[in-house]
Amino acid sequence: MGKRVFIIVLDSFGIGEEPDAAAWGDEGSNTLCACATSPFFDIPNLTQLGLCNIEGALESVYEHPLKPIDSPTGAFARLQEESQGKDTTVGHWELAGVISPKRFPTYPDGFPEEVLDAFREATGRDVLCNRPYSGTDVIRDFGEEHLETGDLIVYTSADSVFQIAAHESIVPPELLYQYCQLARNILTDEHGVARVIARPFEGEPPFKRTPRRHDFSLEPTGTTMLDATKAAGLDVLSVGKIYDIFAGRGTTDHILTKNNPDGIEKTLAWMDRDFNGLCFTNLVDTDMIYGHRNDVDGYAKAISYFDAKLPELMAKLRDEDLLMITADHGCDPITPSTDHSREYVPWLITGPHVRKGIDLGTLPTFADVSATVLDYLGVNPLGVGTSRLAQIQEY
């Protein structure tokens, strides 16, 4: 039986503003403490691992009941983002060992006509909206016009995204995916947005988004932890949108998910599988459904649900397994903004041979995760980040 590492990304579960948060419009953000203001927030198992003992994690403008404990059972750290970004792509790439020194392009005034003209010509359809918009509001405001005209709803956000919403009765998901691929081919070089996202919806007003979202990401700009692990002949299993985030690169097997409970169950199922290498899971609901909609109680319930399932995940760890829990950015559900927030993220590590109560402090890059994983699996390092294996491993 070989070594296995399980990484679970609680999408957008930040733990406090980074030093440059004000430059991103995110001063005062703390997703963890925001969730802790909800009466539905209950995280005894994450707390036991050391979440509330992480340096600075409980410092917040929000009044909350969270407190550190005397004897955490995991190793823990606060990770600072080195890349210039606060989105899914940049955060996951950095976790996997690729730093993004420049911001991806964003479009606060909408996409230029040169981009839209190329998109119209490629799809044979006109576009609606073309400005930053909430994903639920945009189908409310443009959905009926889309049904009447067949024009595609194109919108963006504070992140580097080109999003296409279409009703499944007008544009079936597979055709929408083709349109997204056409957009992905157009959006390169100076207009190389991080992600093109298919946003299908259905029903009558008020319309409802379906779970058939699909992301079309840029390929990572460097060698990732996934690439290196696969090249070493080991397994790389992805659960949820990890496959999309890395443009399908570096995986040996993948499975998509409908929601967080489905992602947790599929991770549990793969923990029963014999493999040697990495299993990388993204749980997106906290970001997509709750963070972006400023739904504090919904976010709190989603984290609490994960916490309740954590003992089941930990019970399946084998003798040479590591379980790591982290995030890719913040999305504070209390601030007026509905966009991501520039926050530190947690890094919790547990397993049969992980030393208890090891406080790694604040680390300068998310890439310490990939450096530690590759070190543990015996894969050649990427030269990015610092392995913390010697500090956390109990021999």
Side-chain angles (χ1 to χ4, degrees), residues 8-10 42-43 45-46 49 260 264 283 286 300-313 323-325 348:
I8 297 177
V9 177
L10 302 177
D42 185 27
I43 56 164
N45 299 301
L46 288 167
L49 284 180
N260 278 15
I264 294 168
L283 300 179
T286 40
K301 289 176 183 178
I303 293 295
S304 300
Y305 180 87
F306 172 77
D307 188 272
K309 299 292 288 187
L310 188 51
E312 193 174 343
L313 289 159
L323 172 62
M324 299 180 177
I325 301 165
L348 300 172

Side-chain angles (χ1 to χ4, degrees), residues 235-239 243 250-255 270 273 278:
D235 300 299
V236 181
L237 316 180
S238 75
V239 180
Y243 185 80
T251 59
T252 59
D253 200 356
H254 72 278
I255 190 165
W270 275 10
R273 176 173 169 174
L278 172 66

Side-chain angles (χ1 to χ4, degrees), residues 59-70:
E59 296 173 4
S60 174
V61 297
Y62 306 127
E63 292 186 11
H64 61 81
L66 300 179
K67 296 179 181 179
I69 62 173
D70 291 334

